Amino acid sequence: MSKTVKTPDVVVRVEKSGNRYNAWDTDGNKRTSEITTGCRKKAHKGDYLLGRFTGTTGKTYWRKVEGEAPSVTTDSVPVDVPTDHAEVLSFIHGSYSLKPRGLMMNELKWKYLVRSGVRGKNIMMTGPAGCGKTMAAKSLVNALDRPDFYFNLGATQDPRATLIGNVHFEKKSGTYFSESVFVKAIQTPNAVILLDELSRAHPDAWNILMTVLDYGQRYLRLDEADGQQTIKVADGVTFVATANIGNEYTSTRVMDKALMDRFTVVEMDVLSENEENELLTYMFPNVDSTVLGNVAKIANLTRVESKSDTARVGSGISTRTTVELAGLLYDGFSLVEAAEVSIYPQYDDAGGVDSERTFVKQIIQKFCDDGSSDDLFNEEEVLEATEA
Ligand SMILES: Nc1ncnc2c1ncn2[C@@H]1O[C@H](COP(=O)(O)OP(=O)(O)O)[C@@H](O)[C@H]1O
Ligand SMILES: [Mg+2]
């Protein structure tokens, strides 16, 4: 391959906001959601700029570029929370353009999400795994130009340390308390605080958050801290939580009703076959469109099945999985191969021919061979389910 010097079409500088790394281009637009966290973090640590390039396949990618920092500094960008009613209205109703194209979410739901954010509601994104809850929550955070913090509560073993802090001991000074990033976050006026996977958090975390999320209380109790007993939540702080809620999540602890009551629920819709197809086509323009159409059909068939009274699978194939699968197709794997590694492991094979896995395999095979194989479906059944 010949080496040509390429010029990036967009250049960004990465700044730290709360515990997140935000990317700003020369025009002051936020590009955070377009660049991976690792890439942004490195650029910030290494104090270099990132440029956007287009590869031979037409996909864009970001890498280090030399040059002066863009002149726009985020310090000079005001924290933009509209207060005037007319302004709020126009912000909400003009906000669909702030939704990243790669996020499939209908206009009403997106506006409802933005409105809840602007109005300082505690937001709870619900829906089955892999339907875009975290993605939508992060997109909202990016759309609102405010200091933001991210906490994955499903991944923390010690909610007290994460949400409150740690008590340390030193020979000289005795015990002392070091507060958590969360304590800093709630004291940051107008911060947007993402509480990802709240449904999977330890019940201790829910208890700690009860007073924090209560509109009438809005404080954090520091049991362990000396002296100071409570920390007030600063004005304008917005919480955005996510929860896997769906009948297939029996392992998820059922969240306390009192905690749920503190949230405005925004339900993420599972994509329709058309939306799924549109998303995959947008993300993978170079993959055969018929195959992508089949992936959307397969996912939809499993979703329809999982909702039927006589469901043979507990849950449908998620959008996360179809995106992964399409990525494998893009990298040259066949549909059969891609399904084998990305879909089948999610379905139980206990019960042999009656297993969930066998059922899903048969749907997929329907789209892989000439249709002459003797399986669970005939053409009409497949058509029926597709049209449902
Ligand atoms: N509605 C959607 N629009 C676009 N991409 C989606 C959507 N839902 C899922 N995805 C894809 O699946 C991945 C996982 O989504 P995520 O937001 O982490 O799901 P959740 O938090 O609901 O489990 C995303 O990175 C994206 O590639
Ligand atoms: Mg998530």
Side-chain angles (χ1 to χ4, degrees):
M1 245 202 280
S2 69
K3 259 199 169 173
T4 49
V5 181
K6 289 190 188 170
T7 45
D9 62 344
V10 181
V11 174
V12 298
R13 190 169 49 145
V14 179
E15 304 226 320
K16 210 169 172 190
S17 153
N19 64 353
R20 294 191 75 217
Y21 296 89
N22 285 322
W24 301 89
D25 70 17
T26 3
D27 299 325
N29 297 315
K30 208 174 194 179
R31 301 282 189 162
T32 307
S33 59
E34 300 173 35
I35 311 167
T36 63
T37 312
C39 183
R40 279 181 276 122
K41 196 169 171 180
K42 268 204 220 145
H44 179 76
K45 296 255 153 87
D47 197 23
Y48 55 79
L49 305 177
L50 294 170
R52 188 174 73 177
F53 298 86
T54 306
T56 45
T57 58
K59 272 201 145 186
T60 56
Y61 61 93
W62 295 81
R63 66 170 163 78
K64 180 178 176 176
V65 291
E66 304 295 337
E68 287 290 301
S71 55
V72 175
T73 65
T74 50
D75 300 346
S76 67
V77 176
V79 170
D80 199 10
V81 186
T83 43
D84 174 65
H85 189 227
E87 247 180 81
V88 173
L89 283 186
S90 91
F91 182 75
I92 293 169
H93 295 283
S95 68
Y96 201 52
S97 60
L98 296 175
K99 180 189 75 65
R101 259 204 79 185
L103 169 69
M104 274 285 166
M105 189 170 178
N106 77 43
E107 185 164 352
L108 174 61
K109 281 280 162 79
W110 171 260
K111 283 185 180 169
Y112 181 48
L113 179 61
V114 171
R115 185 265 175 188
S116 306
V118 171
R119 287 294 185 205
K121 307 280 182 200
N122 301 325
I123 299 167
M124 169 73 80
M125 313 283 308
T126 65
C131 70
K133 296 181 297 294
T134 301
M135 193 178 182
K138 286 187 171 173
S139 304
L140 169 69
V141 167
N142 279 333
L144 302 173
D145 211 353
R146 291 158 53 172
D148 49 319
F149 294 84
Y150 177 87
F151 300 91
N152 187 334
L153 296 176
T156 66
Q157 300 299 316
D158 186 350
R160 241 156 228 294
T162 307
L163 297 173
I164 298 174
N166 285 301
V167 176
H168 299 278
F169 179 76
E170 250 181 19
K171 259 196 198 145
K172 261 197 231 140
S173 47
T175 58
Y176 69 95
F177 177 73
S178 70
E179 62 183 31
S180 66
V181 179
F182 183 74
V183 170
K184 230 182 274 157
I186 62 168
Q187 290 175 285
T188 308
N190 298 315
V192 187
I193 301 175
L194 205 62
L195 304 172
D196 208 6
E197 310 217 24
L198 184 59
S199 55
R200 292 183 53 215
H202 191 276
D204 280 355
W206 302 341
N207 280 331
I208 294 168
L209 290 170
M210 278 304 191
T211 55
V212 176
L213 295 165
D214 188 300
Y215 295 115
Q217 302 186 73
R218 302 264 291 177
Y219 64 77
L220 174 71
R221 195 187 296 283
L222 301 183
D223 287 332
E224 276 108 333
D226 276 340
Q228 204 170 19
Q229 283 304 299
T230 59
I231 302 268
K232 245 181 79 69
V233 176
D235 284 343
V237 172
T238 306
F239 294 93
V240 186
T242 74
N244 278 337
I245 291 180
N247 48 13
E248 65 269 44
Y249 285 92
T250 41
S251 65
T252 303
R253 297 183 183 97
V254 177
M255 266 206 290
D256 196 270
K257 175 144 189 327
L259 185 65
M260 274 310 278
D261 281 349
R262 285 161 165 72
F263 287 98
T264 294
V265 173
V266 178
E267 190 186 27
M268 275 303 280
D269 297 315
V270 172
L271 302 185
S272 69
E273 186 190 317
N274 275 340
E275 291 167 329
E276 195 81 24
N277 195 7
E278 197 184 313
L279 174 67
L280 297 178
T281 310
Y282 168 72
M283 292 185 76
F284 300 96
N286 298 303
V287 175
D288 185 292
S289 60
T290 315
V291 182
L292 289 184
N294 286 343
V295 173
K297 282 200 177 88
I298 290 164
N300 193 55
L301 282 167
T302 62
R303 290 170 195 170
V304 170
E305 173 69 22
S306 73
K307 286 218 194 87
S308 84
D309 292 341
T310 54
R312 283 164 287 183
V313 285
S315 59
I317 294 169
S318 72
T319 299
R320 174 189 283 131
T321 302
T322 65
V323 168
E324 269 165 22
L325 187 102
L328 289 164
L329 297 173
Y330 176 69
D331 286 338
F333 291 88
S334 70
L335 181 53
V336 181
E337 290 169 336
E340 181 156 346
V341 290
S342 68
I343 296 180
Y344 300 160
Q346 298 181 30
Y347 291 93
D348 197 352
D349 62 355
V353 291
D354 294 325
S355 70
E356 294 204 334
R357 192 177 295 185
T358 304
F359 176 78
V360 174
K361 262 187 197 176
Q362 276 164 329
I363 293 183
I364 292 165
Q365 273 157 11
K366 192 82 204 166
F367 290 91
C368 294
D369 59 28
D370 58 5
S372 62
S373 66
D374 187 21
D375 55 33
L376 288 181
F377 295 100
N378 56 43
E379 288 292 342
E380 281 117 67
E381 264 182 321
V382 171
L383 272 177
E384 227 170 77
T386 314
E387 279 154 11

